[in-house]
Amino acid sequence: MDSTRQPDLTRQRILEAGFAEIHRHGFQAASVANILADTGLTKGALYHHFPSKKDLGLAVVDEMIGIGLVERYIRPLRDAAHPAQALIELIGMKQGISEEFIRLGCPLNNLMQEMSPVDEEFRNRLNRLLSQWQEAFEETLRRAQMAGEVRSEVNCHAAALFIVSAWEGCTGVAKNMQSVEAFRACMSQLQGYVVSLLKT
Amino acid sequence: MDSTRQPDLTRQRILEAGFAEIHRHGFQAASVANILADTGLTKGALYHHFPSKKDLGLAVVDEMIGIGLVERYIRPLRDAAHPAQALIELIGMKQGISEEFIRLGCPLNNLMQEMSPVDEEFRNRLNRLLSQWQEAFEETLRRAQMAGEVRSEVNCHAAALFIVSAWEGCTGVAKNMQSVEAFRACMSQLQGYVVSLLKT
DNA sequence: ACGCATGCATACCGGTCGGTATGTAATCTG
DNA sequence: CAGATTACATACCGACCGGTATGCATGCGT
């Protein structure tokens, strides 16, 4: 039996259940009781590892959403040998889009829309992730620009901001329409925008 | 003294206070008590005009957000003599963007992100507004296409979907960054996308 | 002028919320 | 092996939530 104490593992379980609950209901409507029910733990455990519900939420942002963002979207761009191609492929999204993701939306976008006007600390943490993402796009565009693939007059910073914004917009609208097709159609238009930045 | 009974006026006051409260905190976190405090009314008044908090929310969607959407964005497009120009100008947003709007975001987008996965009735009502908006863009693009201003191979339906999505994405990101500049920069890129649909 | 529906105010209720105080067993330290 | 600290479980609390039952005054139809 390894039913011995494994504090960092229980912490991780709380984080995962917290992420799922927040993804489903948003942060404010997320119920601590539900998180505990999912994990089989009790309040003693949660409030031992996290001072408050808000701290749990912030930890979910950093340790779940942030890490996922880097692994899924940022690192593939940084590691890409051919930046322009990698960017277009990433927006193409060969990787299966889970139904769940369409139904519940992008966790980062969800929390931004909900928490930004309400709590400065949330806003700052979320904004940090957003900036990382934007910078990854900007860096990729700049690399492609230096490689002569992107037109020299393109403002990479503004273009990167727009890509992030449009991406989140596409996921948001697709969530409302509950339509994977709409998402693909929308992202396809975004792909067209990126292509329009390339040299002919 | 006109402190006589004016039921439709009090109903309107509840709607307006409800809209403001929902805009600030979202629907689920919106407090009925706050709405009443803002109006100076009591629960008796609210639950006389609306069966439940949810019904008030749905009425806010239809009678406040929906009407505002039509007046501000849809009708100017329908009435425009020169569709392409009107579309680009609308995205250009000469009309002052209130700080409030940047801080709190687009009411339609906020509610979509919050309520779509949670409540089907909300999702349907919101989706109806979204579709109206998209159709207004589509119609405008099609008119411009028939006038020979937009390239004939452009898919007006998909382009309209993207414009709506990117628009909401821009407001969402600007809200998170709390930056009017970011919003303008982002919308400027969207403007560039629309221009790219025109004949050279 | 009278009766009755309408328009609101007041008081109250059960339920859920995040958070805390306390207890206790397991683990680490010396 | 003893003591201290860590890692939880249990029980409980006040605050707020949306909603309801009731009361009462106004305005309207007749």
Side-chain angles (χ1 to χ4, degrees):
Chain A
M1 286 286 286
D2 59 335
S3 70
T4 57
R5 295 268 169 103
Q6 304 186 42
D8 44 357
L9 189 142
T10 52
R11 195 190 121 98
Q12 190 62 25
R13 282 173 56 202
I14 295 175
L15 274 177
E16 287 169 7
F19 169 78
E21 173 75 4
I22 291 174
H23 198 198
R24 274 193 288 267
H25 304 300
F27 173 75
Q28 303 184 86
S31 164
V32 168
N34 282 40
I35 296 173
L36 297 173
D38 287 354
T39 58
L41 297 169
T42 61
K43 292 201 171 181
L46 195 152
Y47 283 96
H48 172 73
H49 288 283
F50 302 95
S52 71
K53 180 192 174 187
K54 176 175 171 178
D55 289 279
L56 170 59
L58 294 174
V60 165
V61 171
D62 289 339
E63 301 179 38
M64 300 291 294
I65 300 177
I67 290 180
L69 185 70
V70 169
E71 286 181 354
R72 250 183 283 262
Y73 302 119
I74 295 181
R75 200 153 57 196
L77 287 179
R78 290 205 199 285
D79 296 349
H82 307 292
Q85 181 189 342
L87 177 56
I88 290 174
E89 280 180 4
L90 187 69
I91 294 176
M93 283 263 185
K94 296 184 201 296
Q95 48 182 359
I97 311 138
S98 64
E99 282 288 336
E100 184 97 339
F101 197 84
I102 293 290
R103 258 196 47 237
L104 299 180
C106 167
L108 175 58
N109 192 38
N110 291 358
L111 281 180
M112 287 199 308
Q113 301 313 314
E114 180 191 3
M115 298 305 293
S116 284
V118 168
D119 188 283
E120 266 289 305
E121 216 165 339
F122 263 98
R123 195 183 73 82
N124 286 328
R125 305 264 192 137
L126 294 164
N127 212 7
R128 201 168 152 276
L129 298 189
L130 195 70
S131 295
Q132 281 182 246
W133 201 9
Q134 180 187 349
E135 282 162 17
F137 282 131
E138 183 174 346
E139 183 63 28
T140 304
L141 286 172
R142 221 178 285 278
R143 283 205 296 151
Q145 204 172 34
M146 287 195 296
E149 296 173 320
V150 164
R151 293 204 311 277
S152 59
E153 73 269 22
V154 168
N155 180 343
C156 294
H157 186 74
L161 176 65
F162 180 69
I163 293 174
V164 169
S165 301
W167 190 315
E168 296 292 26
C170 289
T171 65
V173 166
K175 175 171 79 168
N176 191 256
M177 294 185 169
Q178 286 195 1
S179 163
V180 179
E181 294 173 27
F183 180 71
R184 291 194 189 281
C186 210
M187 291 297 279
S188 172
Q189 294 295 116
L190 178 58
Q191 214 173 17
Y193 165 81
V194 173
V195 169
S196 81
L197 302 177
L198 301 180
K199 285 185 177 173
T200 51
Chain B
M1 287 286 288
D2 59 334
S3 69
T4 56
R5 296 269 169 101
Q6 303 187 43
D8 43 358
L9 189 142
T10 53
R11 195 190 121 99
Q12 191 63 26
R13 282 173 55 201
I14 296 174
L15 275 176
E16 288 170 6
F19 170 78
E21 172 77 4
I22 291 173
H23 197 197
R24 274 192 287 267
H25 305 300
F27 173 75
Q28 302 184 86
S31 163
V32 169
N34 282 54
I35 296 173
L36 298 173
D38 285 354
T39 59
L41 298 169
T42 61
K43 291 201 172 181
L46 195 151
Y47 284 96
H48 172 72
H49 289 284
F50 302 95
S52 71
K53 179 191 174 186
K54 175 176 172 178
D55 288 279
L56 170 58
L58 294 174
V60 165
V61 171
D62 289 340
E63 301 179 38
M64 299 292 294
I65 299 177
I67 289 180
L69 185 70
V70 169
E71 287 182 353
R72 251 183 282 262
Y73 302 119
I74 295 181
R75 199 152 58 193
L77 288 178
R78 291 206 199 285
D79 296 350
H82 308 292
Q85 180 189 341
L87 177 56
I88 290 173
E89 280 179 5
L90 188 69
I91 294 175
M93 283 261 183
K94 296 185 201 294
Q95 48 182 358
I97 311 136
S98 64
E99 283 287 335
E100 185 97 339
F101 197 84
I102 293 290
R103 258 196 48 235
L104 299 180
C106 169
L108 175 58
N109 191 40
N110 291 359
L111 281 180
M112 288 198 308
Q113 301 314 312
E114 180 190 1
M115 298 304 294
S116 285
V118 168
D119 188 284
E120 266 289 304
E121 216 166 338
F122 263 98
R123 195 183 73 81
N124 287 329
R125 305 265 192 135
L126 294 165
N127 212 9
R128 200 167 153 275
L129 298 189
L130 194 70
S131 295
Q132 281 182 247
W133 201 8
Q134 179 187 349
E135 282 163 16
F137 282 131
E138 182 175 348
E139 183 64 27
T140 304
L141 286 171
R142 221 179 285 278
R143 283 204 297 150
Q145 202 171 36
M146 286 194 299
E149 296 174 320
V150 163
R151 293 203 312 276
S152 59
E153 73 268 22
V154 168
N155 180 344
C156 294
H157 186 76
L161 177 64
F162 180 68
I163 293 173
V164 170
S165 302
W167 189 314
E168 296 292 26
C170 289
T171 65
V173 166
K175 174 171 81 170
N176 191 257
M177 294 186 169
Q178 285 195 2
S179 163
V180 179
E181 294 174 28
F183 180 71
R184 291 194 190 279
C186 209
M187 290 298 278
S188 172
Q189 294 296 116
L190 178 58
Q191 215 173 17
Y193 164 82
V194 172
V195 169
S196 81
L197 303 177
L198 300 180
K199 286 184 177 173
T200 51

